Amino acid sequence: MSQYRVLIDADDKKGLVHKVSTVFYKSDMNILSNSEFVDKEKNKFFMRSVVEGDITLDRLHQLISDVMPKSANIEVIAPQNKNIIIMATKEMHALGDILIRNEAGELEANILCVISNYNNLESLVSKFNIPFVCISHVGLSRDEHENRIVEYLSKFEEVDYIVLAKYMRILTPKFVEAHENRIINIHHSFLPAFIGANPYKQAYERGVKIIGATSHFVNNNLDEGPIISQDVIHVDHAYGWQDMQRLGKDVEKVVLSRALKLALEDRIFVNANKTVIFQG
Amino acid sequence: MSQYRVLIDADDKKGLVHKVSTVFYKSDMNILSNSEFVDKEKNKFFMRSVVEGDITLDRLHQLISDVMPKSANIEVIAPQNKNIIIMATKEMHALGDILIRNEAGELEANILCVISNYNNLESLVSKFNIPFVCISHVGLSRDEHENRIVEYLSKFEEVDYIVLAKYMRILTPKFVEAHENRIINIHHSFLPAFIGANPYKQAYERGVKIIGATSHFVNNNLDEGPIISQDVIHVDHAYGWQDMQRLGKDVEKVVLSRALKLALEDRIFVNANKTVIFQG
Amino acid sequence: MSQYRVLIDADDKKGLVHKVSTVFYKSDMNILSNSEFVDKEKNKFFMRSVVEGDITLDRLHQLISDVMPKSANIEVIAPQNKNIIIMATKEMHALGDILIRNEAGELEANILCVISNYNNLESLVSKFNIPFVCISHVGLSRDEHENRIVEYLSKFEEVDYIVLAKYMRILTPKFVEAHENRIINIHHSFLPAFIGANPYKQAYERGVKIIGATSHFVNNNLDEGPIISQDVIHVDHAYGWQDMQRLGKDVEKVVLSRALKLALEDRIFVNANKTVIFQG
Amino acid sequence: MSQYRVLIDADDKKGLVHKVSTVFYKSDMNILSNSEFVDKEKNKFFMRSVVEGDITLDRLHQLISDVMPKSANIEVIAPQNKNIIIMATKEMHALGDILIRNEAGELEANILCVISNYNNLESLVSKFNIPFVCISHVGLSRDEHENRIVEYLSKFEEVDYIVLAKYMRILTPKFVEAHENRIINIHHSFLPAFIGANPYKQAYERGVKIIGATSHFVNNNLDEGPIISQDVIHVDHAYGWQDMQRLGKDVEKVVLSRALKLALEDRIFVNANKTVIFQG
């Protein structure tokens, strides 16, 4: 018996559920969970099923392809650890949270390496026997710096996700396009409020009573990619912006780790500039 | 084109989704939304579909029954206002919230009447042209009092839900059994904490940092019926129990109205002493 | 024995607490609660005390003034109902919530009247024996319309707060300045996200996972006045913008009523474009 | 200039704030923050001030003692790292969160050692150059096992707090009494719901829609000590108890770390079986 995650995204039309469920039924498969969503505005159908049965991945993919429209995107995935790269700058909380979860076996991930433009995280990362590489940006143009990162990354055959765990530099459009919907960022505000630099200071100056964090896929518009997860905490007038920053770290790390987990478990569809996420 | 809500609850076995979706497909129906859940522990299957097509309710029910196991519970429902009775005692907030929502057209409900064991809510209820009846318990045994309520209720042909909007008396097993999974209560604590009388005082004395409210179907064990909805708010040492009570009202009314809305929209399955709720 | 709320806002310097508490002590007063905050960035001191004793309001005010710097703002308030005007447009939920709370005796307020630019709320308001006046904007310029409102308001001697309970028109700078820090608005988004029209549609299109509401004092920059209260709820991809709008009403009404209660209880200081709020 | 935290807890009477603030004023001290609370039911006064000035700790303590009632508890504390012991069993998340925060310099703490009754956390702890000791309970009575722990602890001169980071064994009354209000536990439920073993299973079986975690000081009644911090997350029917357990870890670790931080910053008073906590 093998277990598969089946992800389908297609233009909506009558009978899609019928056709897929017929494949499962005729192949004598168990449906462990099944979620569907139709975006009526865009006329798009999304389905994620977890199924098990005595069938190969290729055969199951073929059977589903046979009944789906040509334009449908069909993924059949056998659960296994995904390869991830973490990029960070100086802060420990988001990176540390991922490292501890990985150590505890909570993540379906192999962390290939941690890349930083500073040295100070090396001591933390090396505790976990994960390669750490410092690629400093000092004295380099944005392109030169990024080229060094790209060069370093080229040694890895397959990278499923790049996780920006408080990586404080902006990536070039070229880099972003090369990893479309594969770069997960944590922004330290409740987007779309406080886009850009030092959002806690912006929040403090605006006098908000709630602060938040947002994990999202990165696209070419700063802080405007599809949102994966958000959460917030209440603050009041007694919090200075450094207090907000300190408190906000707890939200940031939980939100980023949650988004990463959703991605590793193949629960996220990107639907134009939004996400469809099946938690069930 | 008619719209129907299809609710199926059955022992789980392979092919249920296939069979139902085949009925929809062959009847040329659109699936507007579809949710499934399998309780693997109890081997129970739950499905709620909203569909539309050119078919009668009876015909659709028949077609589904034909493909489902004999023991399955199948409901096909054409959306329409449900008949509800509200029972309350003295407090206005939960009742008032329902009355305002009803006035605003937010609820799929006809409020047949409000029953109280006191007089003081009459002024509020009568503003909304809804019958108010005071059935006082003074000088009566529990059975005698309830018999008067039952007698009054007998004038209504069909009652879908009885909503206890802070009705502070205990119902008899006989009454509860006669309305199984049809009585919705709001308990002013985060159940199962603080079962019984004056939960805010209990919460205050325990020194909790969060208080909550719980809406649930009523069964014969006090405050132990299937939970529909819960929510909480943070408090601190500066809140006396009356402050908690005052603040708690905001949670109570929102939680009760949310549960009522879920019931009116046929989103709740009762699964032994728990609920399965499809929000999507 | 009389009870007073003492509110002091002053440039910070050593000894302010000492001086005020000495006044209370020498006047043989009980301190029922006491809160202080120093905004170190702006060097501003804020203090709210609830005290009781055998002293007149004027005498207490005099004693405190005698020990405070000339530039300090000192308010000594004997708790009593405040006069409020509610302005609304068409939606019932926020207005209805205030009406029910008022009916239940939860608010320290006299509702002088409800003003709307439409007729449809008249039926609701008149149930509560509160004057309703429709001042239509049809065929009028913004100034002409507002002049009619101002004329109507001129019949009231004293108005403490104007509550915009989903009043969907923009007020002129002249009107806003005439009621500085006295107009409380509810904006149906988590400000500063989604300023302006139809924030739920904006939120839906951005694909956020949390929506919120913000109550704030109105100043001359749209949706940019000092924030009083905010709250949020989680949503997901399955919520269309109308669903968000429907769900958001529950947050809007609670947040607005909370802000109004804080104002009525003299718990809010305005500190430039922010608020200092003492809940304790 | 030295900075001190002044903590006073006393029977309430008129003039306490006056007297303490007079000490600060006459000693030419700056008040950086000041919080007070009176428990009117128990007639108890609590005050926490952060002050700075040119004065010794002993002198300040003396001046305050001179004006306070004999029965008052007065603490004057110069901020410095506190000594803590962590006890854990097998789970990594709560322990790991503290280790990462400590590594990041977020905690005012020296972690003297981590004690576990199993071996499997050794690899994690030793990464951080913190002593790890396994004191197995296998084959020992509760008293024998605890005696070994006590013996090991005796080598440390001063221990401020013992943190139970998912330590799954019950401590004896003798141990608890020896560390009154100095042992901080995390219980994996929203207390007082689901006291005792496997609370997630209990929560699953009760069908709750929210799960939580509670940090509290340990006293001799299991899970009944004064509550420091609580938080919750929403769940639904689709969460099995292992899912709840997995998700609950995120709440547990944040709640425990928050409680620890409050303790390290001297923000917690114990008031009979409750806590008074000054966050400001």
Side-chain angles (χ1 to χ4, degrees):
Chain A
M1 294 279 281
S2 302
Q3 190 177 114
Y4 302 107
R5 297 169 187 163
V6 177
L7 282 79
I8 299 170
D9 114 52
D11 293 337
D12 188 37
K13 48 181 290 193
K14 271 182 203 169
L16 294 179
V17 175
H18 160 71
K19 282 167 183 163
V20 179
S21 63
T22 302
V23 167
F24 295 154
Y25 184 60
K26 294 203 169 157
S27 310
D28 197 31
M29 305 192 79
N30 285 314
I31 302 176
L32 301 181
S33 79
N34 194 34
S35 303
E36 300 131 36
F37 172 66
V38 176
D39 181 336
K40 289 172 190 73
E41 201 179 67
K42 301 197 180 74
N43 196 43
K44 293 281 286 179
F45 170 85
F46 301 90
M47 181 172 183
R48 179 185 186 270
S49 303
V50 182
V51 293
E52 61 181 15
D54 185 15
I55 189 171
T56 65
L57 190 152
D58 287 345
R59 174 82 181 131
L60 181 56
H61 194 286
Q62 187 57 54
L63 289 173
I64 297 171
S65 300
D66 288 348
V67 299
M68 283 289 110
K70 282 276 174 296
S71 62
N73 297 310
I74 300 161
E75 283 190 272
V76 179
I77 301 162
Q80 62 177 359
N81 280 0
K82 289 184 166 53
N83 293 321
I84 69 173
I85 303 276
I86 303 175
M87 294 174 70
T89 292
K90 284 181 166 177
E91 289 173 280
M92 273 187 195
H93 60 286
L95 171 62
D97 198 60
I98 295 170
L99 294 175
I100 293 286
R101 283 174 198 268
N102 191 55
E103 184 77 11
E106 284 180 35
L107 300 179
E108 299 180 7
N110 306 316
I111 303 177
L112 301 178
C113 73
V114 175
I115 301 173
S116 174
N117 50 327
Y118 286 93
N119 255 321
N120 74 309
L121 295 170
E122 178 161 22
S123 147
L124 175 67
V125 174
S126 61
K127 292 182 201 312
F128 293 88
N129 299 317
I130 290 169
F132 174 90
V133 56
C134 171
I135 303 179
S136 173
H137 63 286
V138 176
L140 302 180
S141 71
R142 183 172 311 281
D143 279 350
E144 287 167 344
H145 179 238
E146 207 175 80
N147 286 341
R148 295 202 185 173
I149 294 173
V150 170
E151 196 189 346
Y152 180 76
L153 287 178
S154 69
K155 68 183 252 199
F156 300 107
E157 279 188 25
E158 198 180 346
V159 175
D160 292 296
Y161 289 105
I162 296 173
V163 181
L164 307 184
K166 301 299 299 281
Y167 181 67
M168 305 308 278
R169 290 178 60 82
I170 294 169
L171 299 166
T172 67
K174 192 175 155 199
F175 189 94
V176 170
E177 276 156 29
H179 305 276
E180 198 189 358
N181 298 332
R182 294 287 160 183
I183 309 174
I184 300 172
N185 186 39
I186 180 72
H187 183 74
H188 39 318
S189 87
F190 180 76
L191 288 176
F194 312 126
I195 287 172
N198 210 336
Y200 292 117
K201 199 139 192 284
Q202 292 182 58
Y204 168 76
E205 276 160 11
R206 181 60 188 90
V208 293
K209 300 299 186 185
I210 288 177
I211 57 172
T214 305
S215 60
H216 61 97
F217 288 121
V218 176
N219 69 13
N220 278 324
N221 294 317
L222 180 61
D223 302 332
E224 296 202 350
I227 292 171
I228 303 168
S229 184
Q230 300 189 292
D231 217 335
V232 297
I233 35 170
H234 290 254
V235 293
D236 65 33
H237 60 267
Y239 291 79
W241 73 263
Q242 294 95 334
D243 301 315
M244 291 184 183
Q245 190 178 49
R246 208 150 32 228
L247 202 64
K249 287 178 180 177
D250 283 0
V251 186
E252 293 169 21
K253 75 182 184 191
V254 168
V255 168
L256 178 60
S257 290
R258 201 181 289 158
L260 176 57
K261 198 162 162 47
L262 291 168
L264 294 173
E265 295 175 4
D266 302 303
R267 296 179 179 279
I268 313 174
F269 290 85
V270 172
N271 178 22
N273 66 327
K274 300 201 276 189
T275 58
V276 171
I277 298 178
F278 294 122
Q279 310 251 13
Chain B
M1 292 280 281
S2 303
Q3 191 178 114
Y4 302 107
R5 296 169 187 164
V6 178
L7 282 78
I8 298 170
D9 116 50
D11 293 336
D12 189 38
K13 49 182 288 192
K14 271 182 200 167
L16 295 179
V17 175
H18 161 70
K19 283 166 182 164
V20 179
S21 64
T22 302
V23 168
F24 296 153
Y25 184 60
K26 294 204 168 156
S27 309
D28 197 31
M29 307 191 79
N30 285 315
I31 301 176
L32 301 181
S33 78
N34 194 34
S35 303
E36 300 130 36
F37 172 65
V38 175
D39 180 337
K40 289 172 191 73
E41 200 180 68
K42 300 197 180 73
N43 197 44
K44 293 280 286 177
F45 170 84
F46 301 89
M47 180 172 185
R48 179 185 185 270
S49 303
V50 182
V51 293
E52 60 182 12
D54 186 13
I55 189 171
T56 65
L57 189 152
D58 288 345
R59 174 83 182 130
L60 180 56
H61 194 286
Q62 187 58 53
L63 290 172
I64 296 171
S65 300
D66 288 349
V67 299
M68 284 288 111
K70 282 276 174 292
S71 62
N73 297 310
I74 300 161
E75 284 190 272
V76 179
I77 301 163
Q80 62 177 0
N81 281 1
K82 290 185 167 54
N83 294 320
I84 68 172
I85 302 276
I86 304 176
M87 294 174 71
T89 291
K90 283 180 166 178
E91 289 174 281
M92 273 186 195
H93 60 286
L95 171 62
D97 198 60
I98 295 171
L99 294 175
I100 293 285
R101 284 174 198 267
N102 192 55
E103 184 77 12
E106 284 181 33
L107 300 179
E108 298 181 8
N110 306 315
I111 304 178
L112 300 178
C113 72
V114 175
I115 300 173
S116 174
N117 50 328
Y118 286 94
N119 255 321
N120 74 310
L121 295 170
E122 178 161 22
S123 147
L124 176 66
V125 174
S126 60
K127 292 182 201 309
F128 292 88
N129 298 318
I130 289 168
F132 174 89
V133 56
C134 171
I135 302 179
S136 173
H137 63 287
V138 176
L140 301 181
S141 71
R142 184 174 309 281
D143 278 352
E144 286 166 344
H145 180 238
E146 207 175 79
N147 285 341
R148 295 200 185 173
I149 294 172
V150 170
E151 196 189 344
Y152 180 77
L153 288 178
S154 68
K155 69 182 254 196
F156 299 107
E157 279 187 25
E158 200 180 345
V159 175
D160 292 295
Y161 288 104
I162 296 173
V163 181
L164 308 185
K166 299 301 296 284
Y167 181 68
M168 304 308 278
R169 290 177 59 82
I170 294 169
L171 299 165
T172 67
K174 193 176 155 197
F175 189 93
V176 170
E177 277 156 28
H179 305 277
E180 199 190 356
N181 298 333
R182 293 288 161 181
I183 308 174
I184 300 172
N185 186 41
I186 180 71
H187 183 76
H188 39 317
S189 87
F190 180 76
L191 287 176
F194 311 126
I195 286 174
N198 211 335
Y200 291 118
K201 200 141 192 286
Q202 292 182 57
Y204 168 76
E205 276 160 11
R206 180 61 188 90
V208 293
K209 301 299 186 187
I210 287 177
I211 57 172
T214 304
S215 60
H216 60 98
F217 288 121
V218 176
N219 68 12
N220 278 324
N221 295 317
L222 181 61
D223 301 332
E224 297 203 349
I227 292 171
I228 303 168
S229 184
Q230 300 189 291
D231 218 335
V232 298
I233 36 171
H234 290 254
V235 293
D236 65 34
H237 61 267
Y239 290 78
W241 73 263
Q242 293 95 334
D243 301 316
M244 291 183 182
Q245 190 178 49
R246 212 156 23 233
L247 203 63
K249 287 178 179 177
D250 283 0
V251 186
E252 293 169 23
K253 74 183 185 190
V254 168
V255 168
L256 178 60
S257 291
R258 201 181 288 158
L260 175 58
K261 200 164 161 42
L262 292 168
L264 295 173
E265 295 174 3
D266 302 303
R267 295 180 179 279
I268 313 175
F269 290 85
V270 173
N271 178 22
N273 67 327
K274 302 201 275 189
T275 58
V276 171
I277 298 178
F278 294 124
Q279 309 251 15
Chain C
M1 293 280 281
S2 303
Q3 191 177 113
Y4 302 107
R5 297 170 186 161
V6 177
L7 282 79
I8 299 170
D9 116 49
D11 292 338
D12 189 36
K13 49 182 286 192
K14 271 182 201 168
L16 295 179
V17 175
H18 161 69
K19 282 166 184 164
V20 179
S21 63
T22 302
V23 167
F24 295 154
Y25 183 60
K26 294 204 169 157
S27 308
D28 196 30
M29 306 192 79
N30 285 314
I31 301 175
L32 301 181
S33 78
N34 194 35
S35 303
E36 300 130 37
F37 172 66
V38 175
D39 181 336
K40 289 172 190 73
E41 201 180 67
K42 300 196 181 73
N43 196 44
K44 293 280 288 177
F45 170 84
F46 301 89
M47 180 172 184
R48 180 186 185 269
S49 303
V50 182
V51 293
E52 60 182 13
D54 185 13
I55 190 171
T56 65
L57 190 152
D58 288 345
R59 174 81 183 133
L60 181 57
H61 195 285
Q62 187 59 53
L63 289 171
I64 297 171
S65 301
D66 289 349
V67 299
M68 283 287 111
K70 282 276 173 294
S71 61
N73 297 311
I74 300 162
E75 282 191 273
V76 179
I77 300 163
Q80 62 178 0
N81 280 1
K82 290 185 166 54
N83 293 320
I84 68 172
I85 302 277
I86 304 176
M87 295 174 71
T89 291
K90 283 180 166 176
E91 289 173 281
M92 272 187 197
H93 60 286
L95 171 61
D97 198 59
I98 295 171
L99 294 176
I100 293 285
R101 284 174 199 267
N102 192 54
E103 183 78 11
E106 284 180 33
L107 300 178
E108 299 181 7
N110 307 314
I111 304 177
L112 301 178
C113 72
V114 175
I115 301 173
S116 175
N117 50 328
Y118 287 94
N119 255 320
N120 74 310
L121 295 170
E122 178 161 21
S123 148
L124 175 66
V125 175
S126 60
K127 291 183 202 310
F128 292 88
N129 298 317
I130 289 168
F132 174 89
V133 56
C134 171
I135 302 179
S136 173
H137 63 285
V138 175
L140 302 180
S141 72
R142 184 173 309 281
D143 278 351
E144 287 166 345
H145 180 237
E146 207 175 78
N147 285 342
R148 295 200 185 174
I149 294 173
V150 169
E151 195 190 345
Y152 179 76
L153 287 178
S154 69
K155 69 182 254 196
F156 299 107
E157 279 188 23
E158 200 180 344
V159 175
D160 293 296
Y161 289 104
I162 296 173
V163 181
L164 307 184
K166 302 299 298 283
Y167 181 68
M168 305 308 278
R169 290 177 60 81
I170 294 170
L171 299 165
T172 67
K174 194 176 153 197
F175 189 94
V176 170
E177 277 157 27
H179 304 277
E180 198 189 356
N181 298 331
R182 295 286 160 183
I183 308 174
I184 300 172
N185 186 41
I186 180 72
H187 183 75
H188 39 317
S189 88
F190 180 77
L191 287 177
F194 311 126
I195 287 172
N198 210 336
Y200 291 118
K201 201 142 192 286
Q202 292 183 57
Y204 168 76
E205 276 160 11
R206 181 60 188 89
V208 293
K209 301 298 186 186
I210 287 177
I211 56 172
T214 304
S215 61
H216 61 97
F217 288 120
V218 176
N219 67 14
N220 278 322
N221 294 317
L222 181 61
D223 302 332
E224 297 203 348
I227 291 171
I228 304 168
S229 183
Q230 301 190 291
D231 218 336
V232 298
I233 35 172
H234 290 255
V235 294
D236 66 32
H237 61 268
Y239 290 78
W241 73 263
Q242 294 96 333
D243 301 315
M244 291 183 182
Q245 190 178 49
R246 212 155 23 233
L247 202 63
K249 287 178 180 178
D250 283 359
V251 187
E252 292 170 23
K253 73 182 185 192
V254 168
V255 168
L256 178 60
S257 290
R258 202 181 288 160
L260 175 57
K261 200 163 161 41
L262 292 168
L264 294 173
E265 295 175 3
D266 302 303
R267 295 179 179 279
I268 313 174
F269 291 84
V270 173
N271 179 22
N273 67 327
K274 302 201 275 188
T275 58
V276 171
I277 298 178
F278 294 123
Q279 310 251 15
Chain D
M1 293 280 280
S2 304
Q3 190 177 114
Y4 303 107
R5 296 169 187 164
V6 177
L7 282 79
I8 299 171
D9 113 50
D11 293 336
D12 188 37
K13 47 182 289 193
K14 273 183 201 166
L16 295 178
V17 176
H18 161 69
K19 282 166 183 164
V20 179
S21 64
T22 301
V23 167
F24 295 154
Y25 183 61
K26 294 203 170 157
S27 309
D28 198 32
M29 305 191 79
N30 285 314
I31 301 176
L32 302 181
S33 79
N34 194 35
S35 304
E36 300 131 37
F37 171 65
V38 175
D39 181 336
K40 289 173 190 72
E41 201 180 66
K42 301 197 180 74
N43 196 43
K44 294 280 288 177
F45 170 84
F46 301 89
M47 181 171 184
R48 179 185 186 271
S49 303
V50 182
V51 292
E52 61 181 14
D54 185 13
I55 189 170
T56 65
L57 189 152
D58 287 346
R59 174 83 182 131
L60 180 56
H61 195 286
Q62 187 57 54
L63 289 172
I64 297 171
S65 301
D66 289 348
V67 299
M68 284 287 110
K70 283 276 173 294
S71 61
N73 298 310
I74 301 161
E75 283 190 272
V76 179
I77 301 163
Q80 62 178 357
N81 280 1
K82 289 184 165 54
N83 293 321
I84 69 173
I85 302 278
I86 304 176
M87 295 173 70
T89 291
K90 283 180 166 178
E91 289 173 280
M92 271 186 197
H93 60 287
L95 172 61
D97 198 59
I98 295 171
L99 294 175
I100 293 285
R101 284 174 198 268
N102 191 55
E103 184 77 11
E106 284 181 33
L107 300 179
E108 299 180 7
N110 307 315
I111 303 178
L112 300 179
C113 73
V114 175
I115 301 173
S116 174
N117 50 327
Y118 287 93
N119 255 322
N120 75 309
L121 296 170
E122 178 162 22
S123 147
L124 175 66
V125 174
S126 61
K127 290 182 201 313
F128 292 88
N129 300 316
I130 289 168
F132 174 88
V133 56
C134 171
I135 302 179
S136 173
H137 63 287
V138 175
L140 301 180
S141 71
R142 184 173 309 280
D143 278 350
E144 287 167 345
H145 180 237
E146 208 176 79
N147 286 341
R148 295 202 184 172
I149 295 173
V150 170
E151 195 190 346
Y152 180 76
L153 288 178
S154 69
K155 70 183 251 197
F156 298 107
E157 278 187 26
E158 199 179 346
V159 176
D160 292 295
Y161 288 104
I162 297 173
V163 181
L164 307 185
K166 301 300 298 283
Y167 181 67
M168 306 308 277
R169 291 177 59 80
I170 294 170
L171 299 166
T172 67
K174 192 175 155 197
F175 189 94
V176 170
E177 277 156 28
H179 304 276
E180 198 189 357
N181 299 330
R182 293 288 159 182
I183 308 174
I184 300 172
N185 186 40
I186 179 72
H187 184 75
H188 38 319
S189 88
F190 180 76
L191 286 176
F194 311 126
I195 286 173
N198 211 337
Y200 291 118
K201 201 140 192 283
Q202 292 182 56
Y204 169 75
E205 276 160 12
R206 180 61 189 89
V208 292
K209 301 299 186 186
I210 288 177
I211 57 172
T214 304
S215 61
H216 60 97
F217 288 120
V218 176
N219 68 13
N220 278 324
N221 295 316
L222 181 62
D223 301 334
E224 297 202 347
I227 292 171
I228 302 168
S229 184
Q230 300 190 292
D231 218 337
V232 297
I233 36 171
H234 290 255
V235 293
D236 65 33
H237 61 267
Y239 291 79
W241 73 263
Q242 293 95 335
D243 301 316
M244 291 183 183
Q245 188 177 51
R246 208 151 32 229
L247 203 63
K249 287 178 180 177
D250 283 0
V251 187
E252 293 169 22
K253 76 183 184 191
V254 168
V255 168
L256 178 61
S257 290
R258 201 182 289 158
L260 175 59
K261 199 162 161 44
L262 291 169
L264 295 172
E265 295 174 4
D266 303 303
R267 295 179 179 279
I268 313 175
F269 290 84
V270 172
N271 178 22
N273 66 326
K274 301 201 275 189
T275 58
V276 171
I277 298 178
F278 294 123
Q279 310 250 13

